Amino acid sequence: MILRFAEYAVDTDRFELSRNGEPVTIRARAMKILLYLLQADGRLVRKSELLAHVWNGRIVSDSALTSQIKFLRKTLDDTTRPHRILATIHGEGFRILTSIENDGGQTASLAEQRPEDESAAVDLVGTRPRLAILPFRHVGLMGEHAQLAEALPDEIITAVSRLRWIDVIARGSSFQFAAATADLSTVREKLDVQYSLSGSIELSGEKMLVTVELSDTRTDTIVWSERYNTKIGGIHELREEIVGNVVQSVDFHMPLHERKRAQLIVPERLTAWQSFHMGISNVFTFGQPDYAAAERQFERAIAIDPLFARAHAGLSHVIWWQMVQQDAEVGANARAKMAEAADNAIACDPLDPFANLVRGRAAWLERSGVEAEHWIKRAVEFCPSYSMAHAALANLRVLSDKAESAMPHVDKAISLSPIDPWLHNVFAIRAISHIGRGEFDIAADWATKASAMPHHSLIVLQCAVLALDLAGRDEEAAKIADRIRKAHPGADHLGMTRSLPLFSNNLERRSYEAFRKHGLAN
């Protein structure tokens, strides 16, 4: 059966939307909403009715419906007011404004219009991962500390939601599931989530043990887990540590897990979100980053969904790192492309901490230190548990002769993500911070730690040359310089300051003298 409205047509048998005969990509759930509204033939359809029928009785928030309606408007080119196809009756619901022609007899029921397998509908945009954070369970008697079982996951809900790229189910819905009896398949069915985060709290004498685990509800498998120990007197410090560490772990392990799932899909069928996860995992890896592959995946995600803020931010980020590594493959227009991607990320979502971070880096490359700090501080303010933003702010400050104010942020970055695949970069920032304070021996120790870690970062090696030289450890500095010449031929002091502007004349002078001494500057 074909339903025609405005310049569009819906083939209910094929579950396809077209415009003037040309196929239109649409999300499966947005298509369900459209079909239900078309079936109502201009009647007001209340929000509760759509939530009940389209989500099959699952518990979802109004924001889930709002998000799908927003996407549906964009798909139907009906975003400007007054709307011509889809009307919103504020506080009530929605209805179709245009006349509807039925080319196939009686309108089929919604159940007949919906395929059993939602994946049968082509939806190359995809949806962001959805996470339910459940109340933690008690092990034994908790006494006055019983409230932690809800207080801790409640703090985690707030913190993880600040990442912006994950849909976190509201407490009112996720806390309906008792952690001790929650079945993952039930959580997935009722909350329509791909991931759940649960935990337990146990008191043993004067000690408290907290266990947290992130699970894939689709496969009933654990993605990541961690155990935390503290004395009762250190509960508040432990809460801060757990919340920050969970945010960083979710931000790292969920994309990595999604990448593994996406690798089983034909590349041409990857959604925008799957391409994003493939791209981000090509950058944040314990092995050698594949910047070119990451760039291709981000560009593909943007081509599918031009309003995808994180994909724009990822593109800007990967270009930045290629420039910092003085990659010969980076074209002359890389700086402009990096800045454009950062601007696009902010335009799509000005509250995304990743977007603000890359926008700050773009200002950094333009040698505008004040503007750069403004944007990177916004990233920290929007997501206080965002390790990468703390590291970037520390880096900018130490390269601007503000070593004292840099140190708390570099320490925060290390504590938030102690097993970060890019920890060598944070150690290098710590080394430069000590150089700014005149503590050359300590700086050399941190630079040595950074250099000894498995990585392919030119800037980390250049930092080591400077720190070791200032500490008088010339032989070690010379070995690192040889390592740079072999792994990064052509890299020199001029390339470093061009790709990572220094706002400290003192640091620039010291680095030039060290590089010239070891054959890395003219």
Side-chain angles (χ1 to χ4, degrees):
M1 178 178 61
I2 307 297
L3 299 176
R4 302 187 186 277
F5 62 103
E7 66 271 32
Y8 295 93
V10 170
D11 186 328
T12 61
D13 295 326
R14 294 177 176 271
F15 204 69
E16 293 176 348
L17 174 68
S18 61
R19 180 178 186 177
N20 296 325
E22 295 296 323
V24 176
T25 299
I26 183 171
R27 296 176 182 174
R29 204 172 297 282
M31 175 67 105
K32 293 181 186 180
I33 293 172
L34 176 59
L35 285 172
Y36 199 83
L37 292 171
L38 290 173
Q39 182 189 41
D41 197 16
R43 173 179 66 83
L44 170 66
V45 178
R46 299 188 182 280
K47 290 181 180 181
S48 58
E49 188 179 346
L50 278 174
L51 290 170
H53 286 275
V54 177
W55 273 268
N56 300 324
R58 294 172 182 165
I59 303 171
V60 297
S61 63
D62 282 354
S63 62
L65 176 58
T66 301
S67 175
Q68 294 296 332
I69 291 292
K70 184 177 180 180
F71 177 81
L72 181 56
R73 287 196 193 283
K74 186 176 74 170
T75 302
L76 299 176
D77 194 21
D78 191 31
T79 57
T80 58
R81 296 177 184 274
H83 298 303
R84 61 189 181 89
I85 297 176
L86 178 58
T88 299
I89 313 302
H90 291 288
E92 298 295 333
F94 311 92
R95 69 183 184 87
I96 294 293
L97 294 171
T98 68
S99 59
I100 303 168
E101 298 179 6
N102 182 349
D103 287 359
Q106 295 296 317
T107 303
S109 68
L110 184 62
E112 294 170 337
Q113 295 165 358
R114 181 175 62 238
E116 289 297 320
D117 182 1
E118 291 182 17
S119 64
V122 176
D123 178 9
L124 288 180
V125 173
T127 56
R128 67 180 69 195
R130 290 168 58 83
L131 169 67
I133 298 172
L134 309 180
F136 287 9
R137 63 186 178 90
H138 298 150
V139 178
L141 298 176
M142 295 293 294
E144 62 182 302
H145 303 297
Q147 76 278 5
L148 281 175
E150 290 195 2
L152 187 55
D154 187 55
E155 290 182 37
I156 294 173
I157 288 174
T158 301
V160 174
S161 65
R162 287 174 171 169
L163 288 172
R164 300 285 288 180
W165 69 269
I166 302 170
D167 278 340
V168 183
I169 301 300
R171 170 187 171 137
S173 295
S174 60
F175 275 31
Q176 293 185 35
F177 293 86
T181 58
D183 175 74
L184 289 183
S185 60
T186 303
V187 172
R188 170 169 169 74
E189 178 183 350
K190 295 298 184 182
L191 298 180
D192 191 23
V193 294
Q194 297 84 38
Y195 294 93
S196 72
L197 188 133
S198 58
S200 64
I201 301 177
E202 179 180 4
L203 286 182
S204 178
E206 292 299 312
K207 292 186 177 181
M208 175 175 287
L209 172 65
V210 179
T211 301
V212 183
E213 67 180 37
L214 176 69
S215 301
D216 186 331
T217 64
R218 295 161 293 191
T219 57
D220 285 359
T221 55
I222 296 176
V223 176
W224 162 82
S225 64
E226 188 59 84
R227 293 162 65 91
Y228 305 89
N229 279 288
T230 189
K231 293 184 177 179
I232 297 298
I235 287 177
H236 296 297
E237 293 80 3
L238 180 67
R239 284 171 62 176
E240 183 179 357
E241 176 188 347
I242 291 174
V243 171
N245 187 253
V246 166
V247 171
Q248 289 302 310
S249 298
V250 167
D251 199 29
F252 175 68
H253 287 284
M254 279 180 62
L256 189 63
H257 187 69
E258 287 295 303
R259 179 195 180 186
K260 291 178 180 178
R261 292 177 58 88
Q263 286 174 327
L264 303 176
I265 301 173
V266 177
E268 292 76 14
R269 300 285 294 179
L270 290 174
T271 67
W273 273 99
Q274 288 166 337
S275 290
F276 168 76
H277 290 310
M278 293 287 283
I280 210 72
S281 297
N282 275 320
V283 179
F284 298 117
T285 174
F286 287 102
Q288 182 172 3
D290 191 337
Y291 297 120
E295 188 171 350
R296 289 193 300 271
Q297 293 290 356
F298 292 137
E299 288 178 335
R300 182 179 187 279
I302 292 168
I304 296 171
D305 185 359
L307 300 181
F308 193 170
R310 282 259 154 171
H312 288 290
L315 178 60
S316 182
H317 176 81
V318 76
I319 296 173
W320 157 272
W321 273 107
Q322 289 180 89
M323 289 189 290
V324 168
Q325 302 307 325
Q326 302 173 43
D327 192 332
E329 299 297 321
V330 180
N333 67 337
R335 183 171 302 206
K337 185 177 179 181
M338 180 260 188
E340 180 183 13
D343 286 340
N344 289 337
I346 286 292
C348 292
D349 189 349
L351 302 182
D352 188 317
F354 194 15
N356 281 269
L357 172 60
V358 297
R359 184 62 187 81
R361 285 175 172 165
W364 189 342
L365 280 184
E366 294 301 321
R367 305 193 68 85
S368 178
V370 174
E371 184 184 357
E373 176 152 342
H374 164 76
W375 287 106
I376 298 174
K377 280 178 65 177
R378 277 170 53 99
V380 171
E381 290 165 0
F382 290 153
C383 187
S385 300
Y386 194 20
S387 173
M388 190 162 58
H390 282 285
L393 184 56
N395 199 10
L396 177 63
R397 286 183 173 177
V398 75
L399 298 184
S400 305
D401 274 339
K402 301 176 183 177
E404 290 301 327
S405 64
M407 194 65 77
H409 289 285
V410 73
D411 287 344
K412 186 72 171 178
I414 294 173
S415 67
L416 284 171
S417 193
I419 56 170
D420 196 304
W422 280 26
L423 198 58
H424 51 278
N425 288 295
V426 186
F427 281 6
I429 296 170
R430 179 70 186 264
I432 296 294
S433 299
H434 285 291
I435 290 174
R437 294 167 56 164
E439 300 166 345
F440 301 146
D441 288 334
I442 300 176
D445 289 340
W446 279 100
T448 300
K449 289 180 184 178
S451 300
M453 299 175 76
H455 69 86
H456 300 81
S457 176
L458 168 61
I459 199 70
V460 169
L461 298 178
Q462 290 175 324
C463 168
V465 170
L466 172 60
L468 291 166
D469 179 79
L470 290 173
R473 293 157 63 171
D474 290 349
E475 186 175 340
E476 293 174 72
K479 289 181 179 179
I480 298 293
D482 285 339
R483 184 174 163 186
I484 290 175
R485 279 186 285 272
K486 291 176 182 177
H488 306 275
D492 59 11
H493 183 264
L494 180 61
M496 182 191 74
T497 56
R498 184 170 57 244
S499 61
L500 193 68
L502 306 178
F503 299 106
S504 165
N505 293 329
N506 188 42
L507 190 58
E508 185 163 6
R509 176 183 57 79
R510 282 175 166 168
S511 61
Y512 176 75
E513 291 173 353
F515 281 32
R516 184 177 62 177
K517 179 178 178 180
H518 295 284
L520 298 173
N522 295 324

